[in-house]
Amino acid sequence: MSVRENDVKQAPACTAASLGNYLWNDPPDESKWADCVHCGMCLESCPTYEQTGQEQHSPRGRVHLIKSVAEGKLEVNEAFADPVFACLDCRACTTACPADVDVGGLIEEARGQIRQAMPLTGWKGAVSKFFLEGVFPHANRLHLLGRLLKFYQTSGLQKMARKTRLIHMMPEHLVEMEAILPKVKQPVRQKYKQAGMIQAKGETKRTVALLTGCVMDVMFSDINEATIRVLTRNGNNVTIPQNQTCCGALHVHAGDRETGRKLAKQNIEAFKDADTVIVNAAGCGCMLKEYPELFREDQEWREKAERFAAKVQDISKYLYDTGYEKPKAEIKTRITYHDACHLAHGQGIRREPRDILLSIPGVEMVHMPNADRCCGSAGIYNITHPEMAGAVLKSKMEHVPEEVEMISMGNPGCMLQMAMGVLKYGRNQKIVHTVQLLDWAYQKEDQQKVGESWR
Ligand code: SF4
Ligand code: SF4
């Protein structure tokens, strides 16, 4: 979120140990920048550097700025906050860096300091507090919002707002988002509330717990449903712990590490009896695996977070590692795959989703150049930085092969952003989650079996 002079106020004197001009607990970790030799090999990988050509909007420039504040050469002020919050946190620079400098981790830690020193005020502060503290951590409020959205979509209000162009009273980027909102269905957390455990089909091989996600379960409950069907089909009992909460990624990206820690503790407790925690949203999976980073100054919780993080698995990798059943029904389609940043750069998962797609008879994969380049979604970046997000999306869409019918990926934020790209640039591709396509193939296979049994 870019910071303007009149949106911020200086916070009162802090109470914690400091590092240079970082005056609060949990400052950026010196060991993360220690290996940066300013070689510049990360520059070309950075979408914001590509768009601006400015060193301060490059990974190397950001590392230098973050280090300079720690050395007392720079203040935590607007000039520092702007490039730090303009970063997409896409982690492409860490993949490109020969020294594995964790630029994304530094960015998140620096944002934590900025938001404590310069809390958002005015309408930005109110909106941020409303969603980050008042909505995302509370499943019942999110579900209520989902019902309101469903009413808007099904009551004729949406049609009327579009027809009368009332919708255009909103800023342009929000109008674009409204146009690609998926149809809201019942969240799986609500649907299976009384179910306890969802039983594996056939022989039970393992039991896993599913992170349903906050926004994911409201906007994309059909993908959660597909995930459950695919897991049970492959011999997994599935549990949905009811006391789980939002993963905290949006909070940590926004600099609210304290709420991030609270949510992390709740999830660690909620999943304490699970051996495996399955995640189908790359951003959430990456956050859960990085919980130990939030507890660098708390040994007890750090150890708990490490044990928890070791149990977290992305759905595509879990299916690949446990030997999922290859579908037999044909889905004849030409498809391309977009690597979500937090799957490819954040978790190093590239081969497994492609393997799943290629295992479906009839699927023809077309290579997308720069498949692991950010699409501009980046959590709520497309709301806070619409111009940069739009430029990054434009560049992404230029690489989507014209001849494909579908674009597959493993992150809901990317799905919305890419759907916006398809609409905006007059393309006609369908956006699918990798696990959805596998689920369709299984369903088709089952229908064919039913058909055969009637012959
Ligand atoms: S972050 Fe890595 S690639 Fe970039 S300048 Fe530093 S050492 Fe080089
Ligand atoms: S995380 Fe992405 S946007 Fe941020 S500096 Fe690295 S490459 Fe650039």
Side-chain angles (χ1 to χ4, degrees):
M1 212 169 284
S2 74
V3 183
R4 298 278 167 262
E5 201 69 60
N6 56 358
D7 289 333
V8 298
K9 65 179 181 202
Q10 288 301 318
C14 68
T15 54
S18 61
L19 173 68
N21 283 332
Y22 296 119
L23 303 179
W24 306 83
N25 273 333
D26 194 18
D29 176 0
E30 290 173 89
S31 70
K32 287 197 177 96
W33 65 68
D35 292 332
C36 178
V37 290
H38 311 286
C39 65
M41 288 180 73
C42 51
L43 298 184
E44 279 189 14
S45 69
C46 179
T48 55
Y49 182 68
E50 180 188 33
Q51 295 299 329
T52 62
Q54 294 172 5
E55 180 71 13
Q56 61 168 342
H57 288 296
S58 77
R60 181 175 65 184
R62 289 179 173 124
V63 171
H64 179 72
L65 291 173
I66 291 169
K67 185 178 168 198
S68 297
V69 174
E71 291 170 345
K73 296 175 187 163
L74 279 182
E75 299 285 328
V76 174
N77 56 20
E78 188 181 345
F80 174 61
D82 255 354
V84 170
F85 275 92
C87 169
L88 291 147
D89 200 5
C90 70
R91 318 287 177 96
C93 46
T94 300
T95 300
C97 173
D100 277 338
V101 172
D102 179 8
V103 183
L106 284 172
I107 290 286
E108 287 175 357
E109 288 155 12
R111 287 178 181 177
Q113 295 292 307
I114 294 167
R115 275 296 159 261
Q116 289 179 93
M118 306 159 64
L120 282 177
T121 56
W123 68 269
K124 281 187 180 177
V127 171
S128 167
K129 198 174 163 67
F130 174 73
F131 281 105
L132 293 183
E133 292 177 32
V135 177
F136 295 134
H138 307 282
N140 51 351
R141 295 181 197 170
L142 262 171
H143 294 171
L144 175 65
L145 268 187
R147 285 198 293 278
L148 290 174
L149 200 52
K150 191 171 176 183
F151 177 75
Y152 168 71
Q153 289 175 333
T154 56
S155 64
L157 268 178
Q158 186 176 44
K159 267 191 197 147
M160 191 188 75
R162 288 178 180 177
K163 211 170 163 184
T164 57
R165 301 186 64 78
L166 258 179
I167 198 90
H168 290 275
M169 290 173 76
M170 293 198 299
E172 192 54 32
H173 63 284
L174 293 182
V175 177
E176 288 170 359
M177 290 192 106
E178 192 275 345
I180 48 91
L181 281 180
K183 292 255 174 296
V184 176
K185 301 198 184 88
Q186 188 186 17
V188 301
R189 216 166 130 186
Q190 242 177 15
K191 184 175 171 184
Y192 295 106
K193 195 169 182 175
Q194 310 302 337
M197 186 178 285
I198 307 158
Q199 292 294 326
K201 298 214 172 81
E203 182 200 348
T204 299
K205 296 174 186 161
R206 283 165 285 270
T207 296
V208 299
L210 179 68
L211 180 97
T212 56
C214 53
V215 178
M216 180 83 190
D217 207 25
V218 171
M219 306 288 272
F220 291 105
S221 65
D222 51 342
I223 298 174
N224 279 344
E225 283 277 15
T227 305
I228 293 168
R229 279 194 295 270
V230 165
L231 284 167
T232 52
R233 167 131 193 165
N234 282 284
N236 298 282
N237 290 332
V238 180
T239 63
I240 302 178
Q242 287 293 318
N243 48 347
Q244 64 176 291
T245 186
C246 165
C247 69
L250 294 176
H251 305 78
V252 173
H253 293 175
D256 183 1
R257 291 171 73 82
E258 202 43 54
T259 307
R261 274 186 275 274
K262 275 188 207 150
L263 299 175
K265 285 182 178 177
Q266 189 174 331
N267 278 327
I268 291 169
E269 282 298 315
F271 288 95
K272 68 175 185 301
D273 296 329
D275 294 328
T276 307
V277 180
I278 299 291
V279 189
N280 57 12
C284 306
C286 198
M287 184 69 248
L288 298 189
K289 288 180 181 177
E290 291 177 356
Y291 275 176
E293 286 287 319
L294 291 174
F295 298 105
R296 289 177 300 147
E297 296 169 351
D298 180 339
Q299 197 186 336
E300 184 196 339
W301 275 98
R302 184 180 171 100
E303 285 169 8
K304 286 186 186 181
E306 280 168 354
R307 283 195 293 277
F308 170 79
K311 303 193 289 192
V312 177
Q313 293 250 33
D314 178 75
I315 179 70
S316 62
K317 177 145 174 56
Y318 177 76
L319 291 169
Y320 181 88
D321 288 350
T322 53
Y324 67 99
E325 181 193 324
K326 305 278 191 288
K328 294 172 196 71
E330 191 176 66
I331 295 195
K332 222 170 162 34
T333 187
R334 205 175 274 158
I335 195 165
T336 194
Y337 179 74
H338 158 67
D339 285 285
C341 298
H342 286 89
L343 206 52
H345 302 301
Q347 301 180 60
I349 297 173
R350 295 165 185 266
R351 182 166 52 143
E352 296 84 350
R354 288 180 168 85
D355 183 272
I356 290 173
L357 294 171
L358 284 167
S359 76
I360 302 170
V363 166
E364 184 190 336
M365 280 272 271
V366 182
H367 172 67
M368 182 198 300
N370 280 336
D372 64 355
R373 194 74 155 183
C374 184
C375 63
S377 166
I380 51 167
Y381 189 93
N382 48 6
I383 299 172
T384 58
H385 293 76
E387 279 178 23
M388 179 63 81
V392 173
L393 176 63
K394 183 172 184 285
S395 165
K396 181 83 204 179
M397 291 308 296
E398 283 165 3
H399 290 108
V400 174
E402 291 282 351
E403 69 270 32
V404 297
E405 292 152 336
M406 293 191 196
I407 314 171
S408 175
M409 60 209 74
N411 193 46
C414 304
M415 291 179 74
L416 290 173
Q417 181 79 344
M418 294 296 279
M420 198 143 63
V422 165
L423 190 70
K424 198 167 174 182
Y425 295 102
R427 308 290 290 269
N428 54 10
Q429 285 88 14
K430 188 174 176 64
I431 307 295
V432 290
H433 191 288
T434 311
V435 88
Q436 257 179 328
L437 207 66
L438 181 62
D439 177 52
W440 291 340
Y442 285 151
Q443 289 193 44
K444 195 171 172 193
E445 186 181 320
D446 291 345
Q447 283 160 10
Q448 285 172 354
K449 274 187 197 153
V450 171
E452 280 164 18
S453 70
W454 278 94
R455 272 188 215 138

